[in-house]
Amino acid sequence: MAAVPSYRELAQRTLGQAAADLNAMPQGQVASAEITARSAKAQAIATVAVAQALLEIGDVLRENLRGDA
């Protein structure tokens, strides 16, 4: 069975996906609706990465607080 990835690893992968989506943005004459939709998708993916990173920070802080108790 594969190891469960940490929130940090998930956030890194998710940010990579958002970056890939932005890098795949078409160049030249493109309908503004398509650019808006692609940008919104990349922003949503990046927001998920932020949530994953915050969960990782919370886990690290919780572990450190338990160690001090």
Side-chain angles (χ1 to χ4, degrees):
M1 187 183 301
V4 176
S6 69
Y7 285 117
R8 180 184 180 131
E9 292 167 334
L10 290 173
Q12 288 172 332
R13 290 182 202 164
T14 307
L15 278 177
Q17 181 182 355
D21 281 2
L22 287 175
N23 288 334
M25 191 78 69
Q27 303 295 315
Q29 292 277 348
V30 182
S32 62
E34 181 174 355
I35 297 297
T36 301
R38 287 175 178 252
S39 297
K41 178 185 175 193
Q43 184 177 10
I45 293 169
T47 301
V48 170
V50 169
Q52 291 167 329
L54 288 171
L55 288 168
E56 174 69 13
I57 290 168
D59 287 350
V60 169
L61 290 174
R62 187 177 303 106
E63 285 299 314
N64 285 335
L65 288 174
R66 284 185 189 153
D68 291 341

